[in-house]
Amino acid sequence: MPKTSQAAGLHRASLAKLNELDAALELMYYGWRGMTLEADDYLAKQGLSRSHHRILYVVARRPDIAIGALIEVLGISKQALNRPLNLLLERKLLTTQRAPEQHRSKLLRLTAAGQRIEQRASDHERKVMRQAFDRAGASGAAAWMAVMEAIADNN
Amino acid sequence: MPKTSQAAGLHRASLAKLNELDAALELMYYGWRGMTLEADDYLAKQGLSRSHHRILYVVARRPDIAIGALIEVLGISKQALNRPLNLLLERKLLTTQRAPEQHRSKLLRLTAAGQRIEQRASDHERKVMRQAFDRAGASGAAAWMAVMEAIADNN
DNA sequence: GGCTCAAGTCAACGTAGTTGACATGAGAGC
DNA sequence: GCTCTCATGTCAACTACGTTGACTTGAGCC
């Protein structure tokens, strides 16, 4: 079971800057933590963690996704998916059903309870983003998105 | 020992957007991966990983930091620090010396080899950031920083 | 010698992932 | 029915990274 709370890297450390871009590296690190901190706390209280949230998040946005496709999207092995997925099924946050035509694959869908938890966890993250975007204004938000796109596309 | 390469979440998944801010959540996720992917590959080739890089990064910017202070900055337990730190000492990427006045604490410092690895790993990350900033221009970069500050300060 | 603080170490555990091997369930073809 | 294939499920062993708790060692202080 996950922890209840985490003190890891809570306050940003004051480090000398060796390079002009060091601030950006650190902002990425602390930004990720800042966005996920409250959501992780909420999930921990539900006895869940980030990996469960990722599953719920994807299934919410791809209802009736097959397990193989879910593995693809998450980019993990089926063995790694196995445990968290079964927990979500046991807790009835997800349901499976055989496909109507393609009986070989099982389709996943959120239950009402699963939807609620997915939504609340994601809401914690969206709240952080919304506050930051509000402070930066529409043009600042657009610029942030553009920069993040460029970084993300660096595959 | 770490892996050599990782295919996890390589290409951004196409998910339906349930909420206006979903794109921002996903950009944060893929942005983090985009920034760290090449650096992690480089580190893996050196037989090191992200946790070693974090140690090297901090010590580079706080030469003569004591172990207790390093634990504070990293936000992990001394037991968790123990293994990666010892590896870095064995490999002579770091050195320790007793403090001149405060003999109780040991001060850490990078060796030339440690500096080289820290720099190359961070360079991979900075390269990604620089490209993104170049595309966005100075005002875009400033806006990105402002938004990330707001997110990071959400402790 | 005894107290304190910094550091080091050991054991047990939790979580998240990996690979490899193998079993099961459900069409599809002959 | 038998076999082949594909999707799914599961077992075992492993790695990496983190946790807590308990205990030791080293150094300085009184």
Side-chain angles (χ1 to χ4, degrees), chain B residues 1-2 49 51 54 75-80 98 103-104:
Chain B
M1 288 297 143
S49 60
S51 63
R54 277 201 304 244
I76 60 175
S77 62
K78 68 178 167 179
Q79 295 93 329
R98 289 281 173 187
H103 274 233
R104 293 209 257 225

Side-chain angles (χ1 to χ4, degrees), chain A residues 42-56:
Chain A
Y42 166 73
L43 288 163
K45 275 180 208 135
Q46 314 299 315
L48 302 173
S49 60
R50 188 129 293 274
S51 64
H52 303 104
H53 185 203
R54 276 202 304 245
I55 296 171
L56 295 175

Side-chain angles (χ1 to χ4, degrees), chain B residues 64-68 89 95-109:
Chain B
D64 288 333
I65 189 174
I67 292 189
L89 289 169
T95 53
T96 71
Q97 76 176 60
R98 289 281 173 187
E101 279 303 300
Q102 254 288 89
H103 274 233
R104 293 209 257 225
S105 40
K106 278 189 184 174
L107 307 186
L108 297 167
R109 197 175 272 238

